[in-house]
Amino acid sequence: QVRVQESGGGTVQAGGSHRLSCLASGRTFGRTFTSYAIGWFRQSPGKEREFVAAITWSGGRSSVADSVKGRFTISRNDADNTVYLQMNNLKPEDTAIYYCAAVDASYLYLKADDYNYWGQGIQVTVSS
C-alpha cells in the first residue's frame, strides 16, 4: 500500500512564499518509488480539482500548470521520499486545499483521475 501525506499548510500573506511537503511511504508489488510520479492538485470551494504540478521520481521530469508557472516549482528529495511544492509570489486566488497524489507510472499525468493514491489534503490560505 502506497501512502502520501501532505504537510506545511497554513496562512500566508499575498506576495509571500510557502512550501508544501508530500511524504511518500510504503511499497506495492515490490516496486520502489523510482517507478512512480507525484502530482500536486488543488481545489477551492465551488471549483473542480485542478492540476498544479507533477514530477517523475526517476529522472526528475516535471510539469507545472500555466496558472502557476514562474511562481511554483516542484522538486523531490530521494533521501527522504519527499516531494516539495515551493510557492512564491502567492496570490489570494491560490487559496485552496492542496492535495498530493501518486501514480505507479513514471509519466507526467495531468488529470486527477490518472492518480491512484491521494493524501487527505491541506489548506493553504493567502490573505490580501
Side-chain angles (χ1 to χ4, degrees):
Q1 181 71 24
V2 172
R3 292 176 297 277
V4 290
Q5 183 172 358
E6 308 90 348
S7 62
T11 300
V12 188
Q13 285 193 335
S17 298
H18 202 65
R19 189 177 76 169
L20 300 180
S21 301
C22 174
L23 174 64
S25 62
R27 294 184 178 184
T28 181
F29 307 111
R31 299 166 69 184
T32 67
F33 290 115
T34 55
S35 302
Y36 282 76
I38 302 291
W40 282 99
F41 291 79
R42 66 185 183 184
Q43 188 168 19
S44 52
K47 294 186 178 181
E48 293 187 353
R49 192 169 297 188
E50 66 170 342
F51 169 78
V52 177
I55 190 168
T56 58
W57 209 277
S58 176
R61 290 176 292 118
S62 64
S63 178
V64 179
D66 289 341
S67 60
V68 301
K69 193 167 291 182
R71 299 189 298 121
F72 290 14
T73 56
I74 188 171
S75 62
R76 77 193 193 289
N77 185 329
D78 294 343
D80 57 11
N81 285 350
T82 301
V83 170
Y84 301 101
L85 183 68
Q86 177 66 42
M87 305 181 292
N88 298 327
N89 191 21
L90 282 159
K91 303 176 181 180
E93 51 263 41
D94 294 318
T95 295
I97 297 175
Y98 283 73
Y99 296 90
C100 176
V103 58
D104 52 354
S106 187
Y107 186 79
L108 294 173
Y109 290 104
L110 307 185
K111 296 181 181 180
D113 289 345
D114 291 324
Y115 287 79
N116 307 107
Y117 309 99
W118 288 85
Q120 292 189 339
I122 196 164
Q123 178 71 45
V124 174
T125 301
V126 183
S127 60
S128 57

